[in-house]
Amino acid sequence: MRDIVDIVFKPVPSIERLYLELTNRCNLSCEMCYRQNWNELLGDMSTAILSSIAGEVAVFPDLKEVILGGIGEPTIANNFRQAVELFAGRYDVTVTTNGTTLDEGLIEFLISRGVARIALSVDSTDVQTFAAIRHQNIKGLLESTRQITQRRVNGRPEVIWEFVAMKSTLPYLVETVRKAAQLGVDQIYVSHILPMREESVVETLYHPIMVAETEKIFQAAFMMGLAKGLEVVLPKSELKTDRYCKFVDTQSAVVRWDGQVSSCYRFLHSYPEYVFGRHKLIDAHSFGTLSEQSLLEIWTSPEFMRYRYNVLHGEYASCPDCQWIDGCDMVLRADMDCLGNAPSCGDCLWGRGMTVCP
């Protein structure tokens, strides 16, 4: 008879990073964004949900950072300033934004409240390229960056630029790093595109569609940052054996605008994606809703604890390495993998280090 091992989980209030999607609305319609191919109800997090989270976080002794982000633009949420007021005095608060709403008054508010870092989407400092992607003028974002770095106190907030590497943006990466250094930016996170539309697949620069110049330009950007005192965080472009989930490893929970609690950004909403050129449907996966349970109850539920354990220890399918992938129907969705794990992380580009976020 074979030995049977049963894993017993000990419920612990161990959240270290809490992501809050204050809204899934946005003031832009960027070419690579989720909302190009989704049909979901739009809304802002209610005052009741936000207040309940603020009251409950005290039970998590290891909580260090609250990230105001998600798929929407947090600064246009009705309760954005309230959220900053609730958390900035107690934790490191990170604001991820497209930067288009950062006028002088909002910048002064964020600095005066001691926000720890501001992450801005800057896919190119070339005027035409940026306009083609974001349908905005890059000059306003550059001016906002300059104002933040010149007015910040004791190095806070840190300023991060997020750059999506595509065939159309790669030629401008080195110059973007140079400009970021001139403006006093602290870090640039470079991420490969995760296509949401079939026509965007040609923009990919990683396995299996790879451009010979990609790594050369990545290294040139890294060396430029090194010379200028700017940290450039680069993605992987090829499949590696190691898998790593930043969300699980840093004990993160993500709260959607309507109170649904997820494990990461990937399972926050339902949408189609093209992974390694294959069409895949992602279904939103919630481990519970704050209208019915507390955040602690959801975090320590057997389902959520087992999910985190399996991801942390690599106990889930590795779809891109599988010899049967071409004949597998399970790889077309993310609700379950062939080992019975739900949801399925087998095709996740974040886990492969190809898509990167702060």
Side-chain angles (χ1 to χ4, degrees):
M1 180 181 294
R2 294 183 177 180
D3 291 336
I4 298 176
V5 178
D6 188 19
I7 299 174
V8 178
F9 298 102
K10 180 182 178 181
V12 176
S14 53
I15 293 178
E16 296 179 14
R17 303 176 87 216
L18 183 61
Y19 291 78
L20 301 182
E21 182 185 65
L22 299 179
T23 182
N24 65 347
R25 297 183 297 112
C26 190
N27 60 326
L28 301 184
S29 182
C30 303
E31 291 300 314
M32 78 290 278
C33 184
Y34 291 79
R35 58 182 24 84
Q36 292 288 354
N37 250 347
W38 74 348
N39 184 25
E40 290 198 7
L41 179 69
L42 299 179
D44 291 7
M45 183 176 288
S46 69
T47 300
I49 291 176
L50 182 61
S51 298
S52 69
I53 295 171
E56 191 185 345
V57 289
V59 305
F60 298 97
D62 297 326
L63 181 60
K64 303 178 181 67
E65 183 180 6
V66 175
I67 299 95
L68 305 179
I71 305 306
E73 170 53 42
T75 62
I76 70 169
N78 297 328
N79 52 17
F80 173 70
R81 288 180 180 247
Q82 179 189 3
V84 173
E85 297 276 11
L86 285 171
F87 298 105
R90 305 158 65 186
Y91 307 101
D92 282 349
V93 168
T94 296
V95 176
T96 62
T97 173
N98 59 42
T100 60
T101 63
L102 294 180
D103 56 22
E104 186 173 346
L106 186 53
I107 290 173
E108 177 59 32
F109 170 76
L110 295 174
I111 293 175
S112 67
R113 297 310 186 271
V115 165
R117 58 193 62 85
I118 299 174
L120 302 157
S121 300
V122 183
D123 303 306
S124 171
T125 51
D126 177 74
V127 174
Q128 292 183 340
T129 303
F130 186 86
I133 297 170
R134 302 279 176 181
H135 309 294
Q136 288 284 315
N137 192 316
I138 185 64
K139 293 182 179 180
L141 197 149
L142 298 180
E143 175 59 22
S144 296
T145 300
R146 185 190 64 78
Q147 286 194 36
I148 296 169
T149 57
Q150 288 186 353
R151 297 165 63 179
R152 58 185 171 182
V153 180
N154 297 324
R156 289 170 70 99
E158 296 178 11
V159 178
I160 300 169
W161 276 7
E162 296 180 275
F163 183 102
V164 179
M166 303 180 281
K167 284 185 179 179
S168 56
T169 63
L170 186 65
Y172 305 102
L173 176 58
V174 175
E175 181 56 34
T176 299
V177 172
R178 187 196 310 273
K179 187 64 177 179
Q182 291 176 352
L183 292 172
V185 173
D186 299 285
Q187 291 179 308
I188 288 186
Y189 277 77
V190 181
S191 174
H192 282 297
I193 184 177
L194 176 55
M196 306 293 169
R197 297 181 293 175
E198 187 174 9
E199 54 266 36
S200 298
V201 174
V202 296
E203 287 278 10
T204 59
L205 299 167
Y206 52 85
H207 171 91
I209 304 172
M210 299 182 66
V211 177
E213 284 292 298
T214 300
E215 289 303 318
K216 180 179 178 181
I217 294 177
F218 278 0
Q219 291 307 310
F222 179 83
M223 295 306 295
M224 173 65 70
L226 193 63
K228 300 292 185 180
L230 170 65
E231 182 181 6
V232 179
V233 181
L234 295 169
K236 295 178 181 177
S237 299
E238 297 180 83
L239 288 172
K240 304 294 183 181
T241 300
D242 294 337
R243 292 181 291 173
Y244 168 78
C245 177
K246 182 175 182 178
F247 289 95
V248 170
D249 192 71
T250 59
Q251 297 288 289
S252 299
V254 186
V255 183
R256 201 168 71 174
W257 69 272
D258 57 0
Q260 300 291 335
V261 179
S262 185
S263 57
C264 60
Y265 279 164
R266 190 177 188 231
F267 294 125
L268 204 57
H269 297 282
S270 299
Y271 58 92
E273 66 181 23
Y274 287 82
V275 186
F276 305 115
R278 287 181 280 101
H279 181 267
K280 191 181 189 81
L281 292 176
I282 305 299
D283 292 318
H285 188 94
S286 171
F287 289 94
T289 177
L290 294 179
S291 63
E292 299 174 0
Q293 297 173 280
S294 69
L295 183 58
L296 179 61
E297 288 172 331
I298 296 171
W299 179 255
T300 56
S301 66
E303 180 192 5
F304 206 170
M305 288 191 292
R306 183 172 295 279
Y307 167 83
R308 297 197 304 274
Y309 176 88
N310 288 339
V311 173
L312 189 63
H313 294 87
E315 299 292 331
Y316 60 97
S318 182
C319 301
D321 307 303
C322 180
Q323 61 180 321
W324 310 113
I325 190 170
D326 290 336
C328 179
D329 288 337
M330 299 192 79
V331 78
L332 303 178
R333 301 186 66 90
D335 51 351
M336 181 179 292
D337 68 18
C338 59
L339 301 178
N341 297 302
S344 170
C345 299
D347 250 354
C348 180
L349 292 189
W350 278 274
R352 294 289 183 168
M354 293 179 174
T355 48
V356 181
C357 56

